[in-house]
Amino acid sequence: GAAMLPWLWLWLWLCVCRCPARGLRIHEYLYFQVLSPGDIRYIFTATPAKDFGGVFNTRYDQIHLVPADPPEACGELNNGVFIQDQIALVERGGCSFLSKTRVIQEHGGRAVIIADNAYDNDSFYIEMIQDSSRRTADIPALFLLGRDGYMIRRSLEQHGLPWAVISIPVNVTSIPTYEMMQPPWTFW
């Protein structure tokens, strides 16, 4: 309850604090909400890539989050036609974060969300950095916890759906509401 509030603010401050002494950012978070399927209608937390990719200049109220096929998206996609003008959900592994982002960009995707391939990862955000190539990417690339990516894909499989409908980015200004809308498997 109220006793937790000062700690919550401290935690929030630590998350967004830019530490001028070293010039490091701990993490910038970006939020998206799954609108359907209803059983995963939660607000999810992702972290933007550190040194490549674009930023969200537009808020998409309803856009498809399409799991890439194959999931690692290291080459040609079997469902690339569904990724055009939508957002791809990709799995970590097989090639660099930048390579995945470029594959989705080449298929016309507006952004890519790369979920950790450790399905039990429910707390550790990986810093996505550029690979050793001199290539670039223009679309936003976000990192998602493995547990969250797994739960989204599992829900889509259970419902036989080719994609989820999401809003991105979501402005999380009302903390009590945000807490209620976090996935139940997320513990702080």
Side-chain angles (χ1 to χ4, degrees):
M4 280 297 294
L5 210 54
W7 291 108
L8 178 64
W9 285 113
L10 175 65
W11 180 84
L12 280 172
W13 182 82
L14 286 171
C15 289
V16 297
C17 164
R18 293 173 186 265
C19 304
R22 290 172 301 176
L24 293 176
R25 294 179 308 203
I26 295 179
H27 268 305
E28 277 183 20
Y29 290 111
L30 191 140
Y31 305 93
F32 66 94
Q33 181 173 10
V34 172
L35 304 174
S36 84
D39 60 337
I40 50 163
R41 195 183 165 103
Y42 301 115
I43 292 176
F44 292 89
T45 305
T47 52
K50 184 178 169 63
D51 60 3
F52 70 89
V55 294
F56 281 94
N57 298 318
T58 312
R59 177 168 188 264
Y60 300 102
D61 286 320
Q62 292 194 4
I63 192 165
H64 294 161
L65 179 64
V66 184
D69 174 22
E72 290 182 344
C74 290
E76 194 54 40
L77 301 179
N78 300 321
N79 64 338
V81 63
F82 296 117
I83 284 168
Q84 175 130 14
D85 292 326
Q86 308 301 326
I87 295 176
L89 178 63
V90 169
E91 208 168 292
R92 181 182 177 202
C95 60
S96 71
F97 293 122
L98 179 58
S99 292
K100 297 171 187 298
T101 304
R102 286 178 57 88
V103 166
I104 298 308
Q105 181 175 314
E106 285 157 16
H107 283 84
R110 301 245 173 117
V112 59
I113 297 175
I114 302 171
D116 197 353
N117 51 6
Y119 296 160
D120 57 347
N121 178 4
D122 59 8
S123 59
F124 184 68
Y125 288 88
I126 296 197
E127 206 159 64
M128 297 196 306
I129 56 171
Q130 208 164 354
D131 59 21
S132 54
S133 74
R134 288 218 169 86
R135 301 170 305 165
T136 58
D138 302 317
I139 63 169
L142 306 173
F143 182 80
L144 182 65
L145 295 174
R147 171 69 52 86
D148 292 348
Y150 169 75
M151 297 302 275
I152 291 170
R153 280 191 306 271
R154 193 183 79 168
S155 173
L156 293 176
E157 283 166 18
Q158 286 173 344
H159 292 285
L161 294 170
W163 53 69
V165 179
I166 68 170
S167 286
I168 189 168
V170 172
N171 186 0
V172 190
T173 49
S174 160
I175 299 304
T177 311
Y178 165 60
E179 275 183 22
M180 287 188 318
M181 299 187 72
Q182 281 187 297
W185 56 87
T186 300
F187 302 103
W188 309 6

